[in-house]
Structures are given as C-alpha cells and as structure tokens.
Amino acid sequence: MSNLCLKNACESYLREQTWRTESDGEHECPVHGKKIELFCQTDEEAICSTCKKREHGKHKIQPLQQAVQQRK
C-alpha cells in the first residue's frame, strides 16, 4: 500500500516537471513517455492516455487541441 502511495506521489511530481519536447514539437509525458493528447478538465492539466487510465479515469477529459482552442 505504501509503495503505491509513493509511486503516485512520484508520478505526480514528474508530471509537474517540464515536458520533454520531441524534434517534431510534440510533447511527451515525463512519467510514461507517451504523446500528450488529452486535457483533464478536472485537474486542468495535459495528460497522456496512460495517465487518463491510471489517475484520471473518472475525471472530465477532452482532446488537447479542443482545450487549446477553447482557451484562446
């Protein structure tokens, strides 16, 4: 149980760090290394599909491009 709490804390910390940028300008999740394609409206943060499954499963999610357009 404590290992799971530590894992979640580490993932949250890493997610808050600066994203790595690939050569094509796409952003990768610092925790899972996957392309950032989603936006969690509940936590107001950009996430990958694995983040959605693990930490944001019951949150309100939308495609990242749609979130960007709405906030312009």
Side-chain angles (χ1 to χ4, degrees), residues 15 27-29 32-39 46-57 61-62:
R15 203 172 19 258
H27 294 284
E28 288 183 0
C29 174
H32 305 109
K34 293 190 175 187
K35 184 177 174 183
I36 300 289
E37 298 178 324
L38 304 168
F39 184 76
I47 60 173
C48 73
S49 59
T50 303
C51 288
K52 177 186 175 190
K53 292 175 194 170
R54 293 186 179 174
E55 291 95 25
H56 303 269
I61 306 293
Q62 71 181 131

Side-chain angles (χ1 to χ4, degrees), residues 39-45 56 58-61 71:
F39 184 76
C40 176
Q41 292 177 325
T42 305
D43 294 332
E44 295 194 356
E45 64 182 2
H56 303 269
K58 297 186 182 201
H59 295 178
K60 188 169 183 180
I61 306 293
R71 284 162 175 74

